[in-house]
Coordinates of all heavy atoms in Angstrom, one line a residue:
D473 N 26.4 62.6 -18.5 CA 26.8 61.4 -17.7 C 26.1 61.4 -16.3 O 25.9 60.3 -15.8 CB 28.3 61.5 -17.4 CG 29.2 60.9 -18.5 OD1 28.6 60.7 -19.6 OD2 30.4 60.7 -18.3
S474 N 25.7 62.5 -15.8 CA 24.9 62.6 -14.6 C 23.5 61.9 -14.8 O 23.0 61.3 -13.9 CB 24.7 64.0 -14.1 OG 23.9 64.8 -15.0
V475 N 23.0 62.1 -16.0 CA 21.7 61.4 -16.3 C 21.9 59.9 -16.4 O 21.1 59.1 -15.9 CB 21.1 62.0 -17.7 CG1 19.8 61.3 -18.0 CG2 20.9 63.5 -17.5
L476 N 23.0 59.5 -17.1 CA 23.2 58.1 -17.2 C 23.5 57.4 -15.9 O 22.9 56.3 -15.6 CB 24.5 57.9 -18.1 CG 24.4 58.3 -19.6 CD1 25.7 58.3 -20.3 CD2 23.4 57.5 -20.4
A477 N 24.2 58.1 -15.0 CA 24.5 57.6 -13.7 C 23.2 57.5 -12.8 O 23.0 56.6 -12.1 CB 25.6 58.4 -13.0
G478 N 22.4 58.6 -12.9 CA 21.2 58.6 -12.1 C 20.2 57.5 -12.5 O 19.6 56.8 -11.7
V479 N 20.1 57.2 -13.8 CA 19.2 56.2 -14.3 C 19.7 54.8 -13.9 O 19.0 53.9 -13.4 CB 19.1 56.2 -15.9 CG1 18.5 54.9 -16.4 CG2 18.3 57.4 -16.3
A480 N 21.0 54.6 -13.9 CA 21.6 53.3 -13.5 C 21.5 53.1 -12.0 O 21.2 52.0 -11.6 CB 23.1 53.3 -13.9
A481 N 21.6 54.2 -11.2 CA 21.5 54.0 -9.8 C 20.1 53.7 -9.4 O 19.8 52.8 -8.5 CB 21.9 55.3 -9.1
L482 N 19.1 54.3 -10.0 CA 17.7 54.0 -9.8 C 17.4 52.6 -10.3 O 16.5 51.9 -9.7 CB 16.8 55.0 -10.4 CG 16.7 56.4 -9.7 CD1 16.0 57.4 -10.6 CD2 16.0 56.2 -8.4
G483 N 18.0 52.1 -11.3 CA 17.8 50.8 -11.8 C 18.3 49.8 -10.8 O 17.6 48.7 -10.5
L484 N 19.4 50.1 -10.1 CA 19.9 49.2 -9.0 C 19.0 49.2 -7.8 O 18.7 48.2 -7.2 CB 21.3 49.6 -8.6 CG 22.4 49.1 -9.6 CD1 23.7 49.8 -9.2 CD2 22.6 47.6 -9.5
L485 N 18.5 50.4 -7.5 CA 17.6 50.6 -6.3 C 16.3 49.8 -6.5 O 15.8 49.2 -5.6 CB 17.3 52.1 -6.1 CG 16.3 52.4 -5.0 CD1 16.9 52.0 -3.7 CD2 16.0 53.9 -5.0
F486 N 15.8 49.7 -7.8 CA 14.6 49.0 -8.1 C 14.8 47.6 -8.5 O 13.9 46.9 -9.0 CB 13.8 49.8 -9.1 CG 13.0 50.9 -8.6 CD1 13.6 52.1 -8.2 CD2 11.6 50.8 -8.5 CE1 12.9 53.1 -7.7 CE2 10.9 51.9 -8.0 CZ 11.5 53.0 -7.6
S487 N 16.0 47.1 -8.3 CA 16.3 45.6 -8.6 C 17.0 44.9 -7.5 O 17.0 43.7 -7.4 CB 17.1 45.5 -9.9 OG 18.3 46.2 -9.8
E488 N 17.7 45.7 -6.6 CA 18.5 45.1 -5.5 C 18.0 45.6 -4.2 O 18.0 46.8 -3.9 CB 19.9 45.4 -5.7 CG 20.6 44.9 -7.0 CD 20.7 43.4 -7.0 OE1 20.6 42.7 -5.9 OE2 20.9 42.8 -8.1
R489 N 17.5 44.7 -3.3 CA 17.0 45.2 -2.0 C 18.2 45.6 -1.1 O 18.0 46.4 -0.2 CB 16.2 44.1 -1.3 CG 14.8 43.9 -2.0 CD 13.9 43.0 -1.2 NE 12.6 43.0 -1.8 CZ 12.2 42.3 -2.8 NH1 13.0 41.4 -3.4 NH2 10.9 42.3 -3.2
K490 N 19.3 45.0 -1.3 CA 20.5 45.4 -0.6 C 21.5 46.2 -1.5 O 21.7 45.8 -2.6 CB 21.2 44.2 0.0 CG 20.4 43.5 1.1 CD 21.2 42.3 1.7 CE 20.4 41.7 2.8 NZ 21.1 40.5 3.5
V491 N 22.1 47.2 -0.9 CA 22.9 48.1 -1.8 C 24.2 47.4 -2.2 O 24.7 46.6 -1.4 CB 23.2 49.4 -1.0 CG1 24.1 49.2 0.2 CG2 23.8 50.4 -1.9
K492 N 24.6 47.8 -3.4 CA 25.9 47.3 -3.8 C 26.8 48.6 -4.0 O 26.3 49.7 -4.2 CB 25.8 46.6 -5.2 CG 25.1 45.3 -5.1 CD 25.1 44.6 -6.4 CE 24.4 43.2 -6.3 NZ 24.4 42.5 -7.6
V493 N 28.1 48.3 -3.9 CA 29.1 49.5 -4.0 C 28.9 50.2 -5.4 O 29.2 51.4 -5.5 CB 30.5 49.0 -3.8 CG1 31.0 48.1 -4.9 CG2 31.4 50.1 -3.5
T494 N 28.5 49.5 -6.4 CA 28.3 50.1 -7.7 C 27.3 51.2 -7.6 O 27.5 52.3 -8.2 CB 27.9 49.1 -8.7 OG1 28.8 48.0 -8.8 CG2 27.7 49.7 -10.1
E495 N 26.3 51.0 -6.9 CA 25.2 52.0 -6.7 C 25.8 53.3 -6.1 O 25.5 54.4 -6.5 CB 24.1 51.5 -5.9 CG 22.9 52.4 -5.8 CD 21.8 51.7 -5.0 OE1 21.6 50.5 -5.1 OE2 21.1 52.4 -4.2
L496 N 26.6 53.1 -5.1 CA 27.2 54.3 -4.4 C 28.2 55.0 -5.3 O 28.3 56.2 -5.3 CB 27.9 53.8 -3.1 CG 27.0 53.1 -2.1 CD1 27.9 52.7 -0.9 CD2 25.9 54.0 -1.7
H497 N 28.9 54.2 -6.1 CA 29.9 54.9 -7.1 C 29.1 55.7 -8.1 O 29.5 56.8 -8.5 CB 30.7 53.8 -7.8 CG 31.8 53.2 -7.0 ND1 32.6 54.0 -6.1 CD2 32.2 51.9 -6.8 CE1 33.5 53.2 -5.5 NE2 33.3 51.9 -5.9
L498 N 28.0 55.2 -8.6 CA 27.2 55.9 -9.5 C 26.6 57.2 -9.0 O 26.7 58.3 -9.6 CB 26.0 55.0 -10.0 CG 26.4 53.8 -10.9 CD1 25.2 52.9 -11.0 CD2 26.8 54.4 -12.3
M499 N 26.1 57.2 -7.7 CA 25.6 58.4 -7.2 C 26.7 59.4 -6.8 O 26.5 60.6 -7.0 CB 24.8 58.1 -5.9 CG 23.4 57.4 -6.2 SD 22.4 58.2 -7.4 CE 22.2 59.8 -6.7
E500 N 27.8 59.0 -6.5 CA 29.0 59.9 -6.2 C 29.4 60.5 -7.5 O 29.7 61.7 -7.5 CB 30.1 59.1 -5.5 CG 31.3 59.9 -5.3 CD 31.1 61.1 -4.3 OE1 30.1 61.0 -3.6 OE2 31.9 62.0 -4.3
S501 N 29.5 59.7 -8.6 CA 29.9 60.3 -9.9 C 28.9 61.3 -10.3 O 29.3 62.4 -10.8 CB 30.0 59.2 -10.9 OG 30.2 59.7 -12.2
A502 N 27.6 61.1 -10.2 CA 26.5 62.0 -10.6 C 26.6 63.3 -9.7 O 26.5 64.4 -10.2 CB 25.2 61.4 -10.5
R503 N 26.8 63.1 -8.4 CA 26.9 64.3 -7.5 C 28.1 65.2 -7.9 O 27.9 66.4 -8.0 CB 27.1 63.8 -6.1 CG 27.1 65.0 -5.1 CD 27.7 64.5 -3.7 NE 29.1 64.1 -3.9 CZ 30.1 65.0 -3.9 NH1 29.9 66.3 -3.8 NH2 31.4 64.6 -4.0
F504 N 29.2 64.6 -8.2 CA 30.4 65.4 -8.6 C 30.1 66.2 -9.9 O 30.5 67.4 -10.0 CB 31.6 64.5 -8.8 CG 32.9 65.2 -9.2 CD1 33.6 65.9 -8.3 CD2 33.3 65.2 -10.6 CE1 34.8 66.6 -8.7 CE2 34.4 65.9 -11.0 CZ 35.2 66.6 -10.1
I505 N 29.5 65.6 -10.9 CA 29.2 66.3 -12.1 C 28.2 67.4 -11.9 O 28.4 68.5 -12.4 CB 28.7 65.3 -13.2 CG1 29.8 64.2 -13.5 CG2 28.2 66.0 -14.4 CD1 29.2 63.1 -14.4
L506 N 27.2 67.1 -11.2 CA 26.1 68.1 -11.0 C 26.7 69.3 -10.2 O 26.3 70.5 -10.5 CB 24.9 67.5 -10.3 CG 24.2 66.4 -11.1 CD1 23.1 65.8 -10.2 CD2 23.5 67.0 -12.3
E507 N 27.5 69.1 -9.2 CA 28.0 70.2 -8.4 C 29.2 70.9 -9.0 O 29.6 71.9 -8.5 CB 28.4 69.6 -7.0 CG 27.2 69.2 -6.2 CD 27.6 68.7 -4.8 OE1 28.8 68.6 -4.5 OE2 26.6 68.3 -4.0
S508 N 29.6 70.4 -10.2 CA 30.7 71.1 -10.9 C 30.2 72.2 -11.8 O 30.9 73.0 -12.3 CB 31.4 70.1 -11.8 OG 32.1 69.1 -11.0
Y509 N 28.9 72.4 -11.9 CA 28.3 73.5 -12.6 C 28.7 74.8 -12.0 O 28.4 75.1 -10.9 CB 26.7 73.3 -12.7 CG 26.0 74.5 -13.2 CD1 26.1 74.9 -14.5 CD2 25.1 75.2 -12.3 CE1 25.4 76.0 -15.0 CE2 24.4 76.3 -12.8 CZ 24.6 76.7 -14.1 OH 23.9 77.8 -14.6
D510 N 29.3 75.7 -12.8 CA 29.8 76.9 -12.3 C 28.9 78.1 -12.4 O 29.2 79.2 -11.9 CB 31.1 77.3 -13.1 CG 31.0 77.4 -14.6 OD1 29.8 77.4 -15.0 OD2 32.0 77.6 -15.3
G511 N 27.7 77.9 -13.1 CA 26.8 79.0 -13.1 C 27.1 80.1 -14.1 O 26.4 81.2 -14.1
S512 N 28.1 79.9 -15.0 CA 28.4 81.0 -15.9 C 27.4 81.1 -17.0 O 27.3 82.2 -17.7 CB 29.8 80.7 -16.5 OG 29.9 79.5 -17.1
T513 N 26.7 80.1 -17.3 CA 25.7 80.1 -18.3 C 24.4 79.5 -17.7 O 24.4 79.0 -16.6 CB 26.1 79.2 -19.5 OG1 26.3 77.9 -19.1 CG2 27.3 79.7 -20.2
A514 N 23.3 79.7 -18.5 CA 22.0 79.2 -18.0 C 22.0 77.7 -17.9 O 22.6 77.1 -18.7 CB 20.9 79.7 -18.9
P515 N 21.4 77.1 -16.9 CA 21.4 75.7 -16.8 C 20.8 75.0 -18.0 O 19.8 75.5 -18.6 CB 20.5 75.4 -15.5 CG 20.5 76.7 -14.8 CD 20.6 77.8 -15.8
S516 N 21.3 73.9 -18.4 CA 20.8 73.2 -19.5 C 19.7 72.2 -19.1 O 19.6 71.9 -17.9 CB 21.9 72.4 -20.3 OG 22.5 71.4 -19.4
V517 N 19.0 71.6 -20.0 CA 18.0 70.6 -19.7 C 18.6 69.4 -19.2 O 18.1 68.7 -18.3 CB 17.1 70.3 -21.0 CG1 16.2 69.2 -20.7 CG2 16.4 71.6 -21.4
D518 N 19.8 69.0 -19.7 CA 20.5 67.9 -19.2 C 20.9 68.0 -17.7 O 20.8 67.1 -17.0 CB 21.8 67.6 -20.0 CG 21.5 67.2 -21.5 OD1 20.3 66.9 -21.7 OD2 22.4 67.3 -22.3
L519 N 21.4 69.2 -17.4 CA 21.7 69.5 -16.0 C 20.5 69.3 -15.1 O 20.5 68.7 -14.0 CB 22.3 70.9 -15.8 CG 22.7 71.2 -14.4 CD1 23.9 70.4 -13.9 CD2 23.0 72.7 -14.3
V520 N 19.4 69.9 -15.5 CA 18.1 69.8 -14.7 C 17.7 68.4 -14.6 O 17.2 67.9 -13.5 CB 17.0 70.7 -15.4 CG1 15.7 70.5 -14.7 CG2 17.4 72.2 -15.3

């Protein structure tokens, strides 16, 4: 989901000169998922 959110946020960045709240929601969702990684296993390619 962090990959999906990151792609969508960059899609908005490259199509809208002024930010929309959707873009901020997407980056916040991606940040929460990425920072939830607990480090108990080796990082996956999806996480990277």
Side-chain angles (χ1 to χ4, degrees):
D473 275 12
S474 66
V475 178
L476 297 170
V479 166
L482 285 168
L484 283 168
L485 179 63
F486 277 72
S487 58
E488 303 288 343
R489 289 186 171 85
K490 292 185 179 180
V491 67
K492 293 183 177 181
V493 68
T494 301
E495 184 178 324
L496 302 181
H497 285 319
L498 288 167
M499 289 310 300
E500 178 63 19
S501 175
R503 184 196 64 81
F504 178 80
I505 295 171
L506 295 173
E507 293 182 356
S508 298
Y509 167 65
D510 59 7
S512 58
T513 58
S516 65
V517 175
D518 292 346
L519 180 70
V520 172

